[in-house]
């Protein structure tokens, strides 16, 4: 065997083999007493006991021998590892070093023609490597090639990747091509894969990476089974890995799937029909190599036998026999091996040894080297025959290895000598090179398998085409199409190799019905998104308790989709909420267009919203009550219902109309959200910023004497939230609103919601949510009988009196009118007589007229959902008149405080749910007197930043001698949505009508 010359002599090379642990001793080759099996039968297992590797007979080692050995070791190792091969030797032997499979196939045209046409035996090496210092597969090839081909101490930091790859070494003299497969099963590749995975990689992503590496390994392994004659499976220890059984069954299934594709790829290659039909030169023979890791420590005396009567075989040979029986039985049971070898993925010899156990490295390396040196330096009879190579050299080695005494290959103790790995492999390679082939079929009618010893050039053509289809990059279009189809058949491997995913799939599939049952438990026929999400969360909790593995996320997404399909398939409830915060009870439906009728048969149906909530309300004037459905829009709540009752009751009453939008185009559009920007708002914003400072946020300037009872309590906020514009903010200082006379409202855009302080200027709604009617003259109200309208609780229909002092022009000091709003300047303190009264010093005495006091009547009416009505005399008090004479409480209290918009109803039902009564109307009786009564209602139907609502026209002057009623909106809403009524656990003081709703001043009498 010729290789790269490193500058050593023959004896140096022999000693280097010893120093590097390469077992190339020339021993007597024993007869291969492997497992003897008859046709179609399986031999019984041989009993095996723990054995210990043979050690050389230890003798006395002198100091001079050890010193010589160590110096020779340092010298030769330094020269071996640090002296690169010369350029001339590289040119002379271009394949002296291993190359990649792609480089070998590309450089095939440069081979020597004499070598290209010679027969070639292809040997593949694959398997796993353990955590030992040196890789086992590379050391096996170093032993077989008798060269230092592969480094023994490389690491994952050499810059390589974790992908599978094949390296080739062509031994020309022996006509053997060695193919070494490196995959994730090797410790180096495994470390590279672990370094490539980041710390944040999820479990499912890491599993996908490992499965991709496994698929690469399977394709490369299938390639070896398609181009090799002999295969070596290397194990890192002396135990057979049973996972190879599942791997080989997966490869066999994949090979059957891709066989037509490989046939199409090699149909034009110059090989035999049998090769084209079976896509391989022969059924490859699989051999097994095991490494003893030193765990078997049994001496000859501990083996249980009689030391005077030694056993026939060595402990290592008996271990090989036991492994052969175990492997053969496993593969026969799993149907990987059958009687006909042509139908199998690989074969094993029936009457030859196919298991080799590499002995463990001795714990005393120096003693082992000395023993090797003594055995190799023993004197033997000279052989005058010339040196030969190839099979003849192997046979000559077998003859020359016999002891000189002709003992028939028997060592000390009567045991036959163990062969080397090269001798173990060469007996199978010799059958290939001599074109005898493998006759591994068993049974009664064994069929001979096809066999072909190809020339190097023909083998390269076939191997190149198969390499492009299975593992390489196809350059031709037709081959690329075949390679894509091969990738599509890789799903066959999942059932065999991906046991984790298979277990996870089965586990998650069992958990899905449990999760579906948890989702559908206690569900109504139709339900909302909130119920759907809650049930889905419960289903996911049940699913996570039972599901495991890499398929967890995939089946969790499927659970999401299944629950959503169940919900949307006829179980989805209409998501629209009424103005009282109740959901529509219909399933998902469409609203009818103007003039369209409802249709239940359509999918989705055409229906109006309905929450099944009904209440009783009175009309604008309050004289007629009627039931109403729970409204879903502001127009139906504040306008349409009252318009229907107005035709039957209060259609002929006098009223003050509020301005609404008057379109000038046939298709007006709602105004988009924009912040109001009058010229004086910059100064107002600066004032608001000053009020936000500490100490000024909650301070209010007391009203001036000339101001009315109206005192704005607007809030200063950065955002109005869902109630108004996000850019606008209410200021605590009441700004004077520009009059509608000063600006013309838009006739193109309308206000989509109700009028409030934060809405853009110059916009009006399409309808008014307020109503102001005159029930008649002032005498239409009888203070002794109260309001004669339906629905009032007994004794609660009386308005509160409001007495105002009126001074004539001749009695005024300054000629100016004084505010008669019930403030401190208008009402004297107790036990004190005001100036100008009868009997007071400096007064006018009896000259004052008796009509200097005018009486108004004011009443805040509340109404609950059942139509029960009452008048309130305070924030927490109801008018209760038991006898004649009317209400005794004054209206000053209700006019000087913020009246609540909602109060608990005095007549609660039987249920636990509290009922609230809402402020619905304001009754005002204005007498026929020189008074100017101004109406300015302002309602804040929620906590800040809820805006303050007001009618489309403010500061309304009520004419004298009238019985007026102001109907408040049933619901309050902005362009961003409605303001819902309070819940049971919410405070009611945040929903209020601001003080100052009425103010009155004495008017100058007309000139006489």
């Amino acid at each position: 065997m010729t290789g790269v010359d490193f500058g050593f002599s023959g004896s140096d090379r022999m000693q280097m083999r010893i120093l590097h642990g390469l077992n190339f001793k020339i021993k007597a080759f024993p007869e291969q007493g492997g497992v003897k099996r008859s046709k179609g039968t399986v031999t019984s297992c041989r009993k095996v006991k723990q054995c210990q590797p043979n050690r050389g007979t230890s003798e006395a080692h002198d100091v001079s021998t050890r010193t010589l050995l160590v110096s020779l070791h340092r010298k030769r190792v330094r020269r071996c590892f640090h002296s690169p091969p010369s350029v001339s030797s590289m040119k002379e032997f271009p394949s002296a070093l291993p190359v990649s499979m792609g480089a070998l196939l590309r450089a095939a045209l440069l081979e020597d023609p004499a070598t290209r046409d010679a027969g070639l035996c292809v040997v593949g090496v694959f398997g796993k490597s353990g955590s030992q210092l040196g890789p086992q597969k590379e050391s096996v090839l170093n032993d077989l090639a008798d060269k230092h081909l592969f480094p023994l101490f490389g690491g994952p930091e050499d810059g390589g990747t974790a992908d599978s790859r094949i390296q080739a070494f062509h031994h020309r003299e022996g006509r053997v091509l060695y193919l070494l497969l490196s995959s994730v099963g090797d410790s180096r590749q495994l470390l590279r894969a672990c370094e490539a995975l980041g710390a944040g990689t999820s479990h499912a992503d890491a599993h996908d990476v490992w499965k991709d590496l496994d698929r690469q390994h399977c394709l490369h392994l299938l390639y070896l089974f398609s181009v090799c004659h002999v295969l070596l499976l290397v194990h890192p220890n002396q135990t057979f890995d049973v996972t190879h059984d599942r791997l080989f069954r997966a490869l066999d299934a994949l090979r059957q799937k891709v066989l037509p594709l490989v046939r199409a790829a090699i149909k034009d290659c110059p090989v035999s029909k049998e090769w084209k039909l079976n896509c391989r030169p022969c059924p490859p023979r699989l051999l097994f190599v095991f490494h003893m890791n030193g765990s078997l420590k049994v001496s000859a005396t501990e083996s249980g036998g009689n030391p005077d009567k030694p056993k026939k075989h060595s402990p290592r040979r008996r271990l090989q026999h036991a492994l052969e029986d175990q492997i053969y039985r496993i593969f026969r049971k799993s149907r990987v091996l059958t009687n006909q070898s042509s139908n199998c993925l690989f074969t094993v010899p029936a009457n030859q040894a196919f298991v080799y156990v590499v002995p463990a490295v001795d714990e005393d390396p120096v003693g082992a080297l000395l023993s090797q040196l003594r055995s190799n330096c023993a004197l033997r009879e000279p052989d005058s025959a010339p040196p030969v190579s190839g099979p003849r050299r192997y046979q000559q080695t077998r003859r020359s290895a016999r002891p000189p005494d002709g003992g028939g290959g028997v060592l000390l103790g009567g045991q036959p000598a163990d062969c080397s790995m090269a001798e173990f492999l060469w007996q199978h390679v010799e059958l290939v090179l001599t074109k005898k082939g493998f006759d591994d079929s068993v049974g009664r009618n064994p069929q001979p398998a096809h066999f072909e010893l190809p020339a190097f050039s023909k083998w390269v053509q076939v191997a190149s085409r198969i390499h492009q289809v299975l593992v390489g990059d196809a350059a031709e279009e037709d081959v690329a199409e075949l390679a894509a189809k091969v990738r599509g058949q890789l799903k066959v491997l999942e059932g065999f190799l991906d046991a984790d995913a298979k277990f996870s799939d089965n586990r998650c599939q069992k958990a899905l019905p449990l999760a579906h049952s948890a989702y559908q438990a206690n569900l109504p026929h139709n339900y909302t998104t909130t119920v759907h999400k809650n049930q889905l969360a419960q289903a996911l909790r049940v699913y996570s308790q039972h599901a495991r593995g890499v398929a967890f996320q995939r089946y969790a997404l499927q659970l999401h989709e299944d629950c959503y399909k169940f919900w949307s398939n006829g179980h989805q409830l209409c998501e629209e909420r009424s103005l009282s915060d109740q959901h529509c009870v219909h399933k998902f439906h469409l609203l009818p267009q103007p003039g369209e009728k409802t249709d239940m048969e359509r999918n989705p149906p055409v229906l109006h919203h309905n929450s099944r909530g009904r209440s009783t309300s009175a009309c604008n004037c309050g004289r007629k009550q009627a039931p109403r459905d729970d409204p879903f829009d502001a127009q139906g709540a504040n306008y349409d219902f009252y318009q229907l009752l107005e035709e039957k009751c209060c259609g002929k009453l006098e009223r003050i109309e509020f301005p609404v939008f008057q379109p000038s185009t046939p298709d007006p559009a709602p105004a988009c959200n924009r912040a109001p920007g009058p010229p004086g708002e910059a100064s107002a914003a600066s004032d608001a910023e000053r009020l936000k400072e500490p100490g000024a946020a909650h301070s209010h300037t007391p009203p001036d004497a000339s101001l009315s009872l109206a005192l704005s309590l607007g809030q200063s906020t950065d955002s109005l939230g869902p109630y108004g514009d996000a850019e606008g903010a209410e200021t605590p200082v009441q700004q004077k609103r520009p009059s509608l006379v000063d600006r013309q409202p838009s006739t193109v855009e309308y206000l989509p919601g109700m009028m409030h302080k934060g809405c853009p200027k110059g916009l009006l709604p399409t309808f008014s949510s307020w109503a102001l009617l005159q029930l008649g003259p002032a005498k239409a109200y009888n203070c002794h009988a109260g309001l004669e309208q339906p629905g009032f609780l007994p004794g609660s229909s009386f308005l509160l009196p409001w007495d105002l002092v009126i001074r004539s022009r001749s009695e005024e000091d300054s000629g100016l009118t004084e505010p008669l709003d019930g403030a401190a300047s208008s009402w004297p303190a107790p036990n004190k007589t005001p100036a100008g009264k009868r009997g007071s010093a400096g007064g006018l005495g009896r000259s004052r007229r008796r009509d200097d006091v005018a009486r108004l009547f004011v009443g805040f009416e509340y109404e609950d959902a059942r139509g029960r009505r009452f008048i309130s005399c305070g924030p927490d008090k109801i008018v209760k008149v038991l006898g004649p004479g009317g209400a005794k409480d004054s209206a000053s209290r209700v006019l000087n405080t913020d009246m609540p918009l909602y109060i608990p109803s005095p007549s609660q039902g039987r249920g636990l749910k509290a009922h609230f009564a809402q402020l619905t109307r304001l009754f005002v009786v204005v007498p026929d007197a020189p008074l100017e009564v101004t109406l300015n209602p302002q309602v804040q139907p929620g906590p800040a930043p809820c805006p303050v609502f007001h009618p489309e026209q403010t500061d309304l002057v009520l004419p004298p001698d009238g019985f007026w009623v102001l109907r408040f909106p049933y619901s309050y809403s902005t362009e961003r949505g409605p303001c819902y009524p309070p819940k049971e656990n919410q405070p009611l003081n945040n929903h209020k009508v601001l003080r100052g709703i009425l103010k009155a001043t004495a008017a100058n009498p007309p000139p006489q």
Side-chain angles (χ1 to χ4, degrees):
M1 185 178 300
T2 307
V4 181
D5 189 7
F6 288 95
F8 297 110
S9 61
S11 60
D12 288 347
R13 290 195 185 97
M14 180 185 67
Q15 294 175 8
M16 282 300 300
R17 297 189 199 110
I18 299 172
L19 294 174
H20 290 291
L22 303 177
N23 187 11
F24 281 93
K25 298 182 298 179
I26 302 177
K27 297 181 180 180
F29 185 78
E31 295 182 0
Q32 298 299 320
V35 182
K36 302 291 183 178
R37 300 179 179 90
S38 60
K39 301 288 185 177
T41 60
V42 181
T43 60
S44 60
C45 299
R46 299 179 176 89
K47 296 182 180 179
V48 61
K49 295 184 179 180
Q50 291 183 336
C51 57
Q52 180 182 5
N54 294 331
R55 298 187 179 182
T57 306
S58 58
E59 297 180 0
H61 307 149
D62 54 351
V63 179
S64 60
T65 306
R66 286 181 178 270
T67 304
L68 174 63
L69 214 67
V70 171
S71 62
L72 179 63
H73 170 73
R74 292 176 179 175
K75 173 185 175 183
R76 301 309 184 197
V77 168
R78 188 181 303 111
R79 292 175 61 187
C80 177
F81 281 95
H82 295 281
S83 299
S86 61
V87 179
S88 60
S89 61
M90 290 293 292
K91 291 183 179 180
E92 182 180 0
F93 303 101
S95 61
L97 294 178
V99 295
S100 65
M101 192 66 194
L104 176 70
L105 298 178
R106 288 191 298 268
L109 299 177
L110 303 178
E111 293 288 333
D112 187 7
T115 308
R116 291 175 55 190
D117 297 333
L120 180 71
C121 176
V122 185
V123 178
V125 181
F126 68 98
K128 298 180 179 180
S129 62
S131 57
Q132 287 81 359
L133 184 61
Q136 287 87 355
K137 291 188 297 185
E138 285 80 353
S139 62
V140 168
L141 273 183
N142 290 344
D143 290 350
L144 295 177
D146 197 14
K147 292 176 180 290
H148 185 72
L149 301 176
F150 298 94
L152 300 182
F153 301 101
E157 63 278 357
D158 54 2
T161 62
D163 297 335
S164 300
R165 67 178 187 273
I166 299 177
Q167 294 176 280
F169 171 71
H170 187 196
H171 182 215
R172 298 181 181 179
E173 292 185 356
R175 295 188 300 165
V176 178
L177 177 65
Y178 296 99
L179 302 181
L180 174 64
L181 173 61
S182 299
S183 65
V184 73
D186 300 326
S187 57
R188 294 182 184 177
Q189 304 291 91
L190 182 62
L191 288 176
R192 293 189 183 107
C194 294
E195 291 177 354
L197 291 176
T201 307
S202 62
H203 181 53
D205 294 340
H207 180 267
D208 293 339
V209 172
W210 294 122
K211 292 301 106 179
D212 184 62
L213 294 175
D214 287 343
R215 285 190 289 268
Q216 290 183 15
H217 175 62
C218 290
L219 287 176
H220 285 77
L221 198 57
L222 182 61
Y223 177 75
L224 289 185
F225 278 94
S226 302
V227 299
C228 293
H229 297 90
V230 181
L231 289 166
L232 284 178
L233 175 55
V234 180
H235 288 73
N237 51 27
Q238 68 275 2
T239 304
F240 176 66
D241 189 359
V242 293
T243 58
H244 286 96
D245 175 69
R246 187 172 66 250
L247 174 63
F248 292 149
R249 286 189 285 118
L251 287 178
D252 194 11
L254 179 61
R255 179 177 176 272
Q256 299 300 327
K257 291 288 185 179
V258 303
L259 203 58
L261 303 176
V262 180
R263 287 173 186 164
I266 64 173
K267 62 180 180 180
D268 298 331
C269 295
V271 292
S272 63
K273 294 181 180 180
E274 290 78 6
W275 194 341
K276 294 179 181 180
L277 179 64
N278 297 279
C279 300
R280 56 186 181 181
C282 68
R285 178 173 283 187
L286 183 61
L287 308 178
F288 299 86
V289 176
F290 295 86
H291 287 78
M292 295 183 65
N293 56 9
S295 60
L296 300 180
K297 300 288 185 180
V298 178
S299 61
T301 58
E302 296 174 352
S303 60
N306 189 359
D308 300 333
K309 201 173 184 180
K311 292 186 178 295
K312 183 178 181 181
H313 299 289
S314 65
R316 187 157 63 94
R317 178 62 61 86
R318 283 181 277 139
L319 177 61
Q320 292 176 0
H321 293 171
L323 289 174
E324 286 178 355
D325 292 339
Q326 182 187 25
I327 293 171
Y328 189 79
R329 186 187 308 110
I330 290 174
F331 287 156
R332 289 287 295 191
K333 289 288 185 180
S334 62
R335 305 293 298 172
V336 174
L337 293 177
T338 60
N339 291 343
Q340 304 300 328
S341 61
S342 59
N343 299 330
C344 301
L345 178 67
F346 60 88
T347 64
V348 294
N351 296 306
Q352 286 181 288
F354 59 88
V355 172
Y356 182 81
V357 178
V358 179
V361 180
D362 201 290
E363 295 181 358
D364 184 10
V366 177
L369 290 176
L370 290 175
S371 300
Q372 297 272 0
L373 183 62
R374 291 192 189 93
S375 61
N376 283 283
C377 294
L379 296 178
R380 295 182 177 86
E381 296 180 359
D383 193 357
S384 60
V388 295
S389 62
R392 295 183 57 193
R393 178 177 178 272
Y394 164 70
Q395 294 175 0
Q396 186 181 32
T397 303
R398 291 185 58 186
R399 288 191 300 267
S400 61
R402 299 184 181 274
D405 55 356
V410 178
L411 298 180
L412 295 177
Q415 296 178 352
D418 294 327
C419 63
S420 64
M421 187 181 301
E423 296 169 345
F424 165 75
L425 175 63
W426 198 261
Q427 60 177 322
H428 303 281
V429 174
E430 187 178 11
L431 296 177
V432 177
L433 297 178
T434 56
K435 299 183 179 181
K436 294 181 180 180
F438 304 135
D439 185 15
D440 295 334
S441 298
V442 295
R444 297 180 179 178
N445 298 312
Q447 299 294 329
H450 70 283
F451 175 81
E452 184 171 349
L453 180 64
F456 182 76
S457 58
K458 294 182 179 181
W459 181 89
V460 165
Q461 295 183 31
V462 178
S464 178
R465 300 286 290 187
I466 299 178
H467 189 271
Q468 294 179 19
V469 173
L470 293 182
V471 297
D473 296 332
E476 303 176 6
E477 183 177 356
D478 55 343
V479 180
E481 183 178 358
L482 294 176
K485 292 181 179 179
V486 169
R487 300 300 186 276
Q489 300 294 336
L490 293 180
K491 293 183 179 179
V492 181
L493 301 175
E494 296 179 0
F496 293 94
L497 300 182
D498 203 353
D500 295 340
K502 190 174 182 180
F503 166 77
S504 182
D505 286 339
N506 295 335
R507 191 65 184 171
C508 294
Q509 287 175 3
K510 291 181 180 179
L512 273 183
L514 301 177
H516 290 159
S517 300
Y519 175 80
Q520 300 177 13
N522 301 325
L523 271 181
H525 188 268
N526 297 320
Y527 49 95
T528 61
T529 305
T530 304
V531 178
H532 164 70
K533 292 181 178 179
N534 293 337
Q535 293 296 110
L536 181 60
Q538 177 64 24
L540 288 175
R541 282 193 291 268
V542 174
Y543 171 77
S544 61
Q545 291 174 358
H546 297 85
R548 294 293 183 272
V550 296
F552 181 91
Q553 189 67 23
R554 176 161 52 89
Y555 282 93
L557 295 177
Q558 181 179 343
L559 178 61
H560 274 270
E561 295 176 0
D562 295 344
C563 294
Y564 179 78
K565 289 180 181 179
F566 178 83
W567 175 51
S568 59
N569 189 17
H571 298 279
Q572 187 174 0
L573 188 67
C574 178
E575 296 293 330
E576 192 68 20
R577 298 163 66 186
S578 69
L579 298 180
S580 61
D581 203 13
Q582 302 294 327
H583 280 283
C584 178
V585 296
H586 294 311
K587 64 180 181 180
F588 181 77
H589 63 94
L590 301 178
L591 289 176
Q593 298 297 328
E596 185 181 5
K597 296 182 179 180
T598 59
D599 187 2
M600 289 286 297
E601 303 299 329
R602 287 181 55 180
N603 187 19
V606 179
L607 295 171
H608 292 284
H609 293 302
N610 187 6
S611 65
R612 292 180 183 172
R614 293 179 66 87
S615 60
T616 301
S617 296
C619 62
N620 285 329
C621 63
R623 293 183 296 185
K624 186 175 181 59
Q625 286 185 314
R628 67 184 301 172
D629 292 330
D630 193 9
F632 280 81
D633 58 344
Q635 183 173 353
N638 301 332
Y639 184 77
D640 292 344
F641 172 76
Y642 298 104
Q643 285 297 111
L644 293 176
L645 292 181
E646 196 173 73
E647 300 176 357
K648 304 176 183 180
C649 178
C650 46
K652 298 181 180 180
L653 296 178
E654 295 183 7
R655 68 188 63 221
I656 297 179
E657 298 288 349
F658 292 103
V660 294
F661 172 73
Q662 300 295 333
S664 61
T665 58
D667 51 351
C672 57
N673 295 334
R674 63 175 184 265
E681 191 153 319
S683 60
S686 61
D687 295 338
E689 292 297 326
R690 287 195 300 269
L691 288 174
K692 289 181 183 179
E693 298 177 359
H698 302 284
S699 63
H700 300 281
T701 304
D704 194 63
S706 61
L707 294 179
S708 66
L709 291 175
L711 184 61
S712 174
L713 294 178
Q715 301 293 327
S716 174
T717 56
D718 295 333
S719 174
L720 293 178
Y723 301 104
D725 293 332
E727 299 176 1
E730 296 293 337
T731 60
V733 178
Q734 181 179 359
Q735 300 294 327
K736 183 177 181 181
R737 185 179 180 84
S739 174
L740 290 176
V741 181
D742 300 335
R743 68 183 189 279
Q744 294 295 330
S746 174
T747 60
V748 179
E749 293 181 333
Y750 60 88
L751 186 67
M754 294 173 57
M755 185 71 72
H756 58 86
K757 287 189 175 182
C759 64
K761 308 300 181 182
L763 296 178
L764 292 175
T766 57
F767 62 91
S768 178
S769 300
W770 308 73
L772 181 59
L773 295 84
Q774 184 179 6
L775 300 180
K779 63 182 179 180
Y781 172 72
N782 187 357
C783 63
H784 300 284
L787 296 174
E788 297 178 354
Q789 293 183 0
F792 276 96
L793 297 177
S796 63
S797 60
F798 293 88
L799 304 182
L800 303 179
W802 185 23
D803 295 333
L804 298 177
V805 177
I806 302 175
R807 295 181 183 180
S808 63
R809 176 179 297 271
S810 60
E811 293 174 326
E812 292 177 353
D813 297 334
S814 60
L816 300 176
T817 61
E818 294 185 8
L820 303 176
D821 53 2
S825 60
S826 300
W827 294 93
N831 301 325
K832 288 186 179 182
T833 304
K837 283 292 182 179
R838 186 177 307 169
S840 61
L844 297 180
R846 297 181 182 273
S847 63
R848 187 178 182 88
R849 297 179 303 181
R850 299 188 55 88
D851 56 355
D852 56 355
V853 175
R855 171 164 289 188
L856 287 77
F857 290 93
V858 179
F860 288 87
E861 179 207 332
Y862 287 84
E863 184 179 19
D864 61 7
R866 292 174 292 180
R868 292 185 171 92
R869 305 162 64 185
F870 56 90
I871 301 296
S872 176
C873 60
D876 53 355
K877 189 176 180 181
I878 301 174
V879 172
K880 200 72 172 178
V881 177
L882 302 178
K888 305 301 181 181
D889 297 329
S890 175
S892 301
R893 180 184 180 189
V894 296
L895 293 177
N896 286 311
T897 58
D898 295 335
M899 290 297 291
L901 186 60
Y902 300 94
I903 62 175
S905 177
S907 57
Q908 297 290 332
R910 297 180 180 179
L912 299 178
K913 183 178 180 181
H915 295 274
F916 295 110
Q918 180 181 351
L919 178 60
T920 310
R921 292 168 191 85
L922 173 67
F923 292 94
V924 181
V925 178
V926 181
D928 185 10
L931 291 174
E932 186 177 290
V933 180
T934 305
L935 180 66
N936 187 23
Q938 300 182 55
V939 181
Q940 187 176 7
C946 179
V948 176
F949 291 86
H950 56 79
E952 291 77 14
Q953 183 178 354
T954 59
D955 298 331
L956 292 169
V957 178
L958 300 180
D961 192 16
F963 184 12
W964 297 92
V965 56
L966 174 67
R967 194 261 306 164
F968 285 82
Y970 181 82
S971 176
Y972 300 86
S973 62
T974 65
E975 60 275 8
R976 302 201 176 193
C979 303
Y980 293 110
K983 303 294 184 181
E984 297 181 15
N985 55 352
Q986 293 181 352
L988 300 179
N989 55 359
N990 294 324
H991 307 74
K992 56 192 173 182
V993 178
L994 302 183
R995 69 184 72 176
I997 190 172
L998 283 176
K999 69 178 180 178
T1001 58
N1004 293 327
Q1008 298 295 334

